[in-house]
Amino acid sequence: MTKNSKCPRIRINTKFCTCTSQDCSKHGLCCECLHYHRQRRELPACYFTEEEERSYNRSIDFFVLRRTPK
């Protein structure tokens, strides 16, 4: 049994997943994605705008910088 078949929300999650890496093994598996990025001290794609996500910069610093008034 694969991780995808064990997740009861995989189809719903996939509809809302904003990650542009469609071949990612964690696509639609939010808990796996969150754990992966947390270990790397990053945020997952769903925290970023479409433009920001395309930069693949998932750092917390980048997230804060983009939301800090200039």
Side-chain angles (χ1 to χ4, degrees):
M1 194 177 264
T2 66
K3 288 181 185 178
N4 288 359
S5 62
K6 289 182 181 179
C7 179
R9 293 186 49 91
I10 188 73
R11 287 195 306 234
I12 295 166
N13 293 347
T14 300
K15 287 180 186 177
F16 294 100
C17 185
T18 59
C19 179
T20 56
S21 297
Q22 295 294 320
D23 60 341
C24 176
S25 63
K26 293 170 276 312
H27 191 77
L29 296 170
C30 300
C31 57
E32 295 285 328
C33 182
L34 288 169
H35 290 297
Y36 173 79
H37 287 289
R38 183 176 177 204
Q39 288 173 346
R40 297 170 54 104
R41 300 184 51 79
E42 298 174 337
L43 295 172
C46 54
Y47 279 77
F48 298 95
T49 65
E50 188 176 322
E51 175 189 344
E52 293 167 344
E53 197 280 328
R54 277 189 250 120
S55 75
Y56 292 103
N57 184 347
R58 306 280 172 77
S59 72
I60 296 169
D61 289 341
F62 178 66
F63 177 82
V64 172
L65 180 69
R66 296 291 293 213
R67 282 149 185 82
T68 303
K70 294 178 170 94

